[in-house]
Amino acid sequence: TRQTTVSAAADEGTRMHKVLERLSADALGRLSPEATSEAVAEGLTREGYPEDHPRHEVLRKRITRFATGPWLRDVMSRGAEARRELSFAVEVPIGEDRRVLLRGAMDLVVVAGDEVHVVDYKRARGPGLEPYAFQLELYVLAARALFPSARRVRAGVAFLGGDPETPL
Protein backbone atom coordinates (compact mmCIF):
# COMPACT_ATOMS: atom_id res chain seq x y z
CA THR A 1 0.00 0.00 0.00
CA ARG A 2 1.01 3.61 -0.43
CA GLN A 3 1.12 4.23 3.34
CA THR A 4 3.55 1.33 3.81
CA THR A 5 5.75 2.62 0.97
CA VAL A 6 5.82 6.15 2.42
CA SER A 7 6.62 4.80 5.89
CA ALA A 8 9.41 2.60 4.53
CA ALA A 9 10.89 5.52 2.57
CA ALA A 10 10.73 7.81 5.62
CA ASP A 11 12.37 5.13 7.78
CA GLU A 12 15.11 4.64 5.21
CA GLY A 13 15.72 8.40 5.04
CA THR A 14 15.95 8.61 8.84
CA ARG A 15 18.52 5.83 8.90
CA MET A 16 20.54 7.46 6.13
CA HIS A 17 20.58 10.69 8.17
CA LYS A 18 21.82 8.78 11.22
CA VAL A 19 24.66 7.23 9.24
CA LEU A 20 25.74 10.66 7.97
CA GLU A 21 25.36 12.16 11.43
CA ARG A 22 27.60 9.53 13.02
CA LEU A 23 30.35 9.33 10.39
CA SER A 24 33.71 10.49 11.63
CA ALA A 25 34.59 14.06 10.71
CA ASP A 26 37.34 12.73 8.42
CA ALA A 27 34.85 10.62 6.48
CA LEU A 28 33.24 13.84 5.26
CA GLY A 29 35.43 14.83 2.33
CA ARG A 30 38.80 13.87 3.78
CA LEU A 31 39.17 10.08 3.63
CA SER A 32 39.59 8.00 0.50
CA PRO A 33 36.37 6.82 -1.13
CA GLU A 34 37.24 3.26 -0.07
CA ALA A 35 37.73 4.17 3.60
CA THR A 36 34.58 6.29 3.58
CA SER A 37 32.62 3.48 1.95
CA GLU A 38 33.76 1.10 4.72
CA ALA A 39 32.69 3.59 7.39
CA VAL A 40 29.32 4.03 5.68
CA ALA A 41 28.86 0.23 5.47
CA GLU A 42 29.53 -0.04 9.23
CA GLY A 43 27.03 2.75 9.90
CA LEU A 44 24.37 1.08 7.76
CA THR A 45 24.89 -2.19 9.61
CA ARG A 46 24.40 -0.38 12.94
CA GLU A 47 21.20 1.13 11.55
CA GLY A 48 19.71 -2.23 10.58
CA TYR A 49 20.96 -2.53 6.99
CA PRO A 50 23.64 -5.28 7.16
CA GLU A 51 25.62 -6.13 4.04
CA ASP A 52 23.16 -8.87 3.05
CA HIS A 53 20.19 -6.46 3.22
CA PRO A 54 18.75 -5.79 -0.28
CA ARG A 55 19.07 -1.98 0.19
CA HIS A 56 22.57 -1.95 1.75
CA GLU A 57 24.58 -1.53 -1.45
CA VAL A 58 22.46 1.20 -3.03
CA LEU A 59 22.38 3.19 0.22
CA ARG A 60 26.11 2.73 0.76
CA LYS A 61 26.81 4.09 -2.72
CA ARG A 62 24.47 7.08 -2.30
CA ILE A 63 25.88 8.14 1.07
CA THR A 64 29.50 7.54 0.01
CA ARG A 65 28.98 9.50 -3.21
CA PHE A 66 27.90 12.55 -1.23
CA ALA A 67 30.55 12.19 1.51
CA THR A 68 33.35 11.89 -1.05
CA GLY A 69 31.88 14.20 -3.69
CA PRO A 70 33.73 17.13 -5.23
CA TRP A 71 31.94 19.89 -3.31
CA LEU A 72 32.60 18.41 0.12
CA ARG A 73 36.17 17.41 -0.79
CA ASP A 74 36.91 20.92 -2.03
CA VAL A 75 35.50 22.81 0.93
CA MET A 76 37.01 20.43 3.50
CA SER A 77 40.44 20.57 1.80
CA ARG A 78 40.45 24.29 2.54
CA GLY A 79 40.31 23.66 6.29
CA ALA A 80 36.56 23.89 6.78
CA GLU A 81 34.90 22.56 9.91
CA ALA A 82 31.85 20.32 9.64
CA ARG A 83 29.17 20.30 12.31
CA ARG A 84 26.23 17.94 12.24
CA GLU A 85 22.77 18.24 13.75
CA LEU A 86 23.45 21.79 14.89
CA SER A 87 20.51 22.96 17.02
CA PHE A 88 18.98 26.38 16.64
CA ALA A 89 16.12 28.55 17.86
CA VAL A 90 15.02 31.56 15.81
CA GLU A 91 12.32 34.12 16.62
CA VAL A 92 10.37 35.24 13.58
CA PRO A 93 7.94 38.17 13.65
CA ILE A 94 4.41 37.27 12.53
CA GLY A 95 2.78 40.63 13.15
CA GLU A 96 3.41 43.91 14.91
CA ASP A 97 3.42 42.49 18.40
CA ARG A 98 3.72 38.78 17.77
CA ARG A 99 6.64 36.46 17.23
CA VAL A 100 6.97 32.74 16.82
CA LEU A 101 9.93 30.71 18.07
CA LEU A 102 11.08 28.08 15.58
CA ARG A 103 13.47 25.37 16.71
CA GLY A 104 15.23 22.67 14.82
CA ALA A 105 18.53 21.14 13.87
CA MET A 106 20.52 21.57 10.68
CA ASP A 107 21.84 18.33 9.18
CA LEU A 108 25.26 19.65 8.14
CA VAL A 109 26.84 23.04 8.72
CA VAL A 110 30.20 23.64 7.08
CA VAL A 111 32.14 26.65 8.33
CA ALA A 112 34.77 27.67 5.81
CA GLY A 113 36.49 30.84 6.93
CA ASP A 114 33.91 33.63 6.74
CA GLU A 115 31.43 31.49 4.81
CA VAL A 116 28.81 29.15 6.25
CA HIS A 117 27.14 26.44 4.19
CA VAL A 118 24.06 24.65 5.51
CA VAL A 119 23.19 21.37 3.80
CA ASP A 120 19.98 19.46 4.37
CA TYR A 121 19.98 15.79 3.34
CA LYS A 122 17.01 14.46 1.42
CA ARG A 123 16.53 10.81 0.51
CA ALA A 124 14.60 12.00 -2.56
CA ARG A 125 15.88 12.33 -6.11
CA GLY A 126 15.03 16.03 -6.21
CA PRO A 127 15.67 18.11 -8.15
CA GLY A 128 13.47 21.05 -7.17
CA LEU A 129 14.14 23.26 -4.17
CA GLU A 130 10.71 24.93 -4.09
CA PRO A 131 9.20 22.50 -1.55
CA TYR A 132 12.11 23.29 0.79
CA ALA A 133 12.26 27.08 0.33
CA PHE A 134 10.87 27.97 3.77
CA GLN A 135 13.13 25.46 5.50
CA LEU A 136 16.22 26.76 3.69
CA GLU A 137 15.35 30.39 4.44
CA LEU A 138 14.94 29.46 8.11
CA TYR A 139 18.35 27.76 8.05
CA VAL A 140 19.94 30.92 6.66
CA LEU A 141 18.39 32.97 9.49
CA ALA A 142 19.57 30.41 12.04
CA ALA A 143 23.10 30.27 10.63
CA ARG A 144 23.34 34.08 10.59
CA ALA A 145 22.33 34.12 14.27
CA LEU A 146 24.81 31.38 15.19
CA PHE A 147 27.67 32.80 13.09
CA PRO A 148 27.20 36.60 13.14
CA SER A 149 30.64 37.28 11.66
CA ALA A 150 29.97 35.19 8.55
CA ARG A 151 30.23 37.24 5.38
CA ARG A 152 28.21 34.75 3.36
CA VAL A 153 25.62 32.15 4.40
CA ARG A 154 24.20 29.65 1.92
CA ALA A 155 21.69 26.85 2.42
CA GLY A 156 20.99 23.98 0.07
CA VAL A 157 19.84 20.41 -0.31
CA ALA A 158 21.82 17.26 -1.06
CA PHE A 159 19.45 14.89 -2.84
CA LEU A 160 20.93 11.53 -1.85
CA GLY A 161 18.58 9.66 -4.17
CA GLY A 162 19.64 11.68 -7.19
CA ASP A 163 22.92 13.44 -7.87
CA PRO A 164 24.23 14.32 -4.40
CA GLU A 165 27.68 15.42 -5.51
CA THR A 166 26.85 19.09 -5.20
CA PRO A 167 24.17 20.47 -2.87
CA LEU A 168 21.63 22.63 -4.67
Side-chain angles (χ1 to χ4, degrees), residues 6 9-10 26 28 31 40 42 49 55 57 68 70 74-75 83-84 89 113 115 117 125 127 131 135 142 151 154 168:
V6 170
D26 285 341
L28 293 175
L31 294 179
V40 169
E42 290 171 11
Y49 289 94
R55 296 289 294 161
E57 188 63 17
T68 62
D74 177 61
V75 73
R83 299 181 188 185
R84 275 135 331 145
E115 291 189 359
H117 306 269
R125 288 190 174 98
Q135 179 183 14
R151 176 184 57 82
R154 300 176 71 194
L168 298 177

Side-chain angles (χ1 to χ4, degrees), residues 114 116 140-153:
D114 63 352
V116 176
V140 168
L141 289 174
R144 288 196 182 284
L146 291 169
F147 303 96
S149 63
R151 176 184 57 82
R152 183 176 184 189
V153 176

